[in-house]
Amino acid sequence: MQTTLPSTNGHVRPAQPTLDMPVLTAPPVPPPPPRRRPVLRTLAVVAALGLFGFGATQGWSALQYAEGHESTDDAFIDTHVVNVASRVSGPVVHLYVQDNQLVHQGDRLADVDPNDYEVQLARARAQLETARHHWQTARLQVLVTRQTSSADVEQAASGVGAAESTAQEYETAVNTAATQVETEQARVDQARQQVDVARRQAGQAQAQVAAAQAVADNAHSDLQRSRTLFAQSIVTQQDLDHATNAWRAANAQLEAARQQQASQVAAAQDAQSALRATMHQVQQYQSQVGEARAREVASRAQVGQAQGRLNQAQAAPRQVAVTLSTLDEAAAQVKDAEAAVRQAELSLSYTRIVAAQDGRITKRAIEPGSYVQVGQPLMAVVSPNVWVTANFKETQLAHMRVGQTVDVYVDAYPGHVFHGRVDSFQSGSGAAFSLLPPENATGNYVKVVQRVPVKIVFDTVPAGSYVLGPGMSVVPEVVVK
């Protein structure tokens, strides 16, 4: 068998026959395709030229539209949102609104329990009345001080003279009583001497009585012996008479001594009584001296008081200044009390929470009975006056001006165009007012196109079925040419 293989130069060369290879024949060559008709080719060329022309026209229109408009999808509905917070603490006793309810400025939203604040207001008003009373008293004191200053000087001067005269009188009385005390004291000393003499004489009389008693006893014994001896006829009658007379004489002397003793004892008692009377008189005079001295000291104190009143009266201008200072202090206390009343009235008024603007209630976070603290967020009031905050690239602001018309497309309402105008530009990029603004002076710098917030206001407030709220996505198109 023999086969043919193509050669490297394109010619066919015979292959060496082998025992196990079959002999192959060349496949048939297909016939050439028929040629297209010239009409179809012409139509295709014309259609391609038409499409190219239409596309070029549309592209040119789009290019012209893009050159006359600036647009961004980094835009949102914005408005004023007032967060309502409590300015006092306490339980909520009334709640007047529901979520998404339309309210007007001044409408009551909720009430905090006012009982504690009513008590504070009553206490503040009572303190104000007290302060006004003190001020009125100080004012009257100023008037009285001014009117009585001259009269007080004269009265105080006369009071000083009278007090000094009284003190002089009491001083004389003290001296007189002291002289009497000295005199009576001398009499006391004399009476004491007389008592001592009387006591000594009484002692002597008692000794004489004892001696006379001994003599009488001895005479009595002699008489008894004489009688015994006379009975025995040992002595004579004369001796017995002698003994009897001696006994009688001794008894007489004893009786005289006893009378003398009684007289001396009576004299001593009289002297003792006189001493007591004199000492009592001395005590009376000493008491008079003490009373007179006490009165003198009191009168001297009255002199000092009168002198103090005189000095005080003479210091009337200073007293007027002091009372005026007291009046000013009382007036300041009145103002402070009035401020406290005003503060209490404000605190009581804060128990009525009202809407600060027109809008709808959102984010209500309280219920009746909830206890609220000062500054605690209760709800938010979203204003119906909305605008668009569009964050344009800084490269888009070259031809953008205040007052240019804007077509606003809201994602929530496709197919509807809202009309507005450019109101203002923020003085700076959004990144410059962020919490952590970029620090281009540190690290590697990479230039990033910044965005500047542009405020776009609507020509007419959207109404009817169009509900626009903060945060809704929009696409504004600003006509710059």
Side-chain angles (χ1 to χ4, degrees):
M1 294 180 64
Q2 184 179 3
T3 181
T4 60
L5 295 175
S7 62
T8 57
N9 55 6
H11 296 284
V12 179
R13 59 183 180 86
Q16 296 295 329
T18 59
L19 296 178
D20 56 353
M21 293 180 59
V23 177
L24 299 178
T25 61
V29 177
R35 300 179 63 185
R36 295 180 179 178
R37 296 178 182 180
V39 176
L40 295 177
R41 182 179 298 174
T42 303
L43 291 176
V45 171
V46 171
L49 292 175
L51 291 174
F52 178 78
F54 179 77
T57 302
Q58 293 295 326
W60 178 256
S61 299
L63 180 61
Q64 287 183 337
Y65 183 85
E67 290 181 352
H69 295 76
E70 293 291 350
S71 177
T72 181
D73 58 357
D74 186 1
F76 305 92
I77 298 295
D78 206 349
T79 186
H80 293 292
V81 179
V82 176
N83 291 316
V84 180
S86 176
R87 302 182 69 172
V88 294
S89 60
V92 177
V93 293
H94 293 98
L95 184 62
Y96 301 98
V97 294
Q98 302 294 330
D99 290 330
N100 303 320
Q101 178 180 339
L102 178 64
V103 295
H104 299 283
Q105 183 179 3
D107 289 350
R108 293 174 68 176
L109 305 179
D111 287 343
V112 179
D113 188 4
N115 292 330
D116 293 341
Y117 302 97
E118 290 175 351
V119 172
Q120 293 178 4
L121 177 58
R123 183 183 298 111
R125 286 175 176 172
Q127 292 176 353
L128 176 60
E129 291 299 325
T130 302
R132 287 176 176 172
H133 176 72
H134 290 168
W135 175 83
Q136 186 68 20
T137 302
R139 189 175 68 86
L140 293 176
Q141 186 176 2
V142 170
L143 296 177
V144 170
T145 302
R146 286 176 174 173
Q147 293 175 358
T148 61
S149 58
S150 59
D152 288 344
V153 171
E154 296 177 358
Q155 184 178 1
S158 61
V160 169
E164 289 179 348
S165 176
T166 303
Q168 188 66 34
E169 292 178 359
Y170 286 133
E171 184 179 1
T172 302
V174 168
N175 295 332
T176 302
T179 302
Q180 291 176 349
V181 167
E182 291 177 356
T183 302
E184 293 299 324
Q185 190 69 41
R187 292 178 60 190
V188 166
D189 295 339
Q190 183 178 1
R192 283 177 178 173
Q193 292 176 1
Q194 291 175 358
V195 168
D196 293 338
V197 170
R199 285 178 178 177
R200 286 194 298 270
Q201 289 177 355
Q204 292 175 0
Q206 185 176 1
Q208 291 176 359
V209 167
Q213 183 68 44
V215 172
D217 292 340
N218 192 15
H220 183 266
S221 298
D222 291 341
L223 177 61
Q224 291 296 331
R225 283 191 299 271
S226 296
R227 284 177 179 175
T228 300
L229 294 174
F230 178 76
Q232 294 176 0
S233 300
I234 297 175
V235 295
T236 63
Q237 183 65 39
Q238 184 178 1
D239 292 333
L240 179 60
D241 294 336
H242 238 322
T244 301
N245 292 330
W247 175 70
R248 290 175 179 174
N251 285 334
Q253 291 178 358
L254 176 60
E255 185 64 27
R258 285 177 177 174
Q259 291 178 359
Q260 182 67 28
Q261 179 186 10
S263 177
Q264 294 297 330
V265 169
Q269 291 177 353
D270 292 340
Q272 186 69 31
S273 299
L275 175 61
R276 291 194 186 97
T278 306
M279 292 179 65
H280 180 69
Q281 190 68 31
V282 169
Q283 291 177 353
Q284 289 181 349
Y285 284 130
Q286 287 178 344
S287 177
Q288 292 177 1
V289 169
E291 292 178 358
R293 285 179 178 174
R295 292 176 180 177
E296 181 186 6
V297 171
S299 62
R300 293 297 181 188
Q302 292 177 357
V303 170
Q305 294 176 357
Q307 187 64 42
R309 287 193 294 269
L310 177 60
N311 296 334
Q312 184 178 4
Q314 291 175 346
R318 291 195 296 271
Q319 291 181 353
V320 171
V322 171
T323 53
L324 286 175
S325 177
T326 305
L327 180 62
D328 294 338
E329 182 179 358
Q333 292 177 353
V334 169
K335 291 182 179 179
D336 184 65
E338 290 176 347
V341 169
R342 179 56 180 161
Q343 181 63 50
E345 291 175 348
L346 288 176
S347 298
L348 180 60
S349 66
Y350 294 154
T351 59
R352 296 183 177 183
I353 303 173
V354 299
Q357 66 175 12
D358 297 345
R360 292 189 177 274
I361 301 298
T362 59
K363 297 174 62 177
R364 196 192 73 183
I366 58 170
E367 297 293 339
S370 300
Y371 192 91
V372 297
Q373 300 288 347
V374 177
Q376 176 182 342
L378 307 180
M379 62 190 73
V381 180
V382 180
S383 173
N385 298 323
V386 295
W387 64 87
V388 174
T389 299
N391 301 309
F392 284 95
K393 296 179 181 180
E394 56 185 343
T395 55
Q396 295 178 280
L397 304 180
H399 302 290
M400 199 176 297
R401 301 290 184 271
V402 174
Q404 292 175 341
T405 59
V406 183
D407 295 333
V408 180
Y409 300 90
V410 182
D411 292 0
Y413 306 106
H416 183 80
V417 181
F418 297 90
H419 301 285
R421 67 184 186 278
V422 176
D423 181 76
S424 60
F425 299 85
Q426 179 174 294
S427 299
S429 65
F433 299 97
S434 63
L435 181 61
L436 297 174
E439 293 289 343
N440 295 331
T442 61
N444 296 326
Y445 172 68
V446 178
K447 184 176 182 180
V448 178
V449 178
Q450 302 295 322
R451 289 184 178 269
V452 177
V454 178
K455 182 177 181 180
I456 299 172
V457 296
F458 293 95
D459 290 339
T460 57
V461 178
S465 60
Y466 301 109
V467 178
L468 301 181
M472 298 179 65
S473 299
V474 300
V475 177
E477 293 184 353
V478 181
V479 180
V480 297
K481 290 185 180 180

